[in-house]
Amino acid sequence: MKSVIVYWSQTGNTKSIAEKIAEDTNADIFEVNSADVDKVLEYDNIILGCPAMGAEEIEDSEFRPFYELLMSKINDQRVFLFGSYGWGDGEWMRTFEAETKGYNANLIGSGLIVNGDASEIEQDKYLDFIQSINS
């Protein structure tokens, strides 16, 4: 199965996580501003990453427009979510998951959330996340 990662990162934390996931899954990787929705839809696994912003929400000027267009066209691709945060309890990821399910996307598992950059990943959760992508 072909995998692609599309992410947005402000501080570099989500980028570092995206790069680690790409390395461990052999996924192609794009920052959201250089990704093309129709090309992304050619992949079997779509891995989306966005940090918590503002009041625990996904970034709304670059990531959200891409995400909404992608979700409006999604078919049976498997979708995985990840992101970083520095405050709160992960509410943004629960909302991100609920929105993705609301599009009837094939969301696989729970989103991977990391308090910080790739060096802060909880190993057990990460291994489960990678295994679900690779299976």
Side-chain angles (χ1 to χ4, degrees), residues 3-16:
S3 298
V4 64
I5 298 168
V6 179
Y7 72 93
W8 185 87
S9 187
Q10 181 175 11
T11 65
N13 289 344
T14 300
K15 178 181 181 179
S16 73

Side-chain angles (χ1 to χ4, degrees), residues 53-130:
M53 301 295 295
E56 290 215 51
E57 55 202 22
I58 62 174
E59 193 277 332
D60 64 357
S61 65
E62 291 183 61
F63 189 83
R64 180 164 291 284
F66 177 88
Y67 168 76
E68 289 177 351
L69 180 58
L70 177 70
M71 289 296 111
S72 73
K73 295 181 170 190
I74 198 117
N75 293 309
D76 58 353
Q77 295 89 348
R78 297 176 351 136
V79 178
F80 304 84
L81 306 176
F82 73 95
S84 61
Y85 70 106
W87 67 91
D89 68 353
E91 177 184 350
W92 107 99
M93 183 58 72
R94 292 188 298 275
T95 302
F96 197 5
E97 291 168 350
E99 286 182 18
T100 302
K101 289 176 185 173
Y103 282 102
N104 292 318
N106 185 14
L107 180 63
I108 306 298
S110 297
L112 176 69
I113 64 173
V114 181
N115 189 349
D117 65 12
S119 69
E120 301 298 325
I121 292 173
E122 291 181 43
Q123 199 62 13
D124 290 346
K125 290 180 182 179
Y126 181 72
L127 292 175
D128 289 345
F129 186 77
I130 295 302

Side-chain angles (χ1 to χ4, degrees), residues 23-36:
E23 181 180 315
D24 292 336
T25 62
N26 294 317
D28 293 334
I29 183 171
F30 299 96
E31 288 188 61
V32 72
N33 62 5
S34 65
D36 176 87

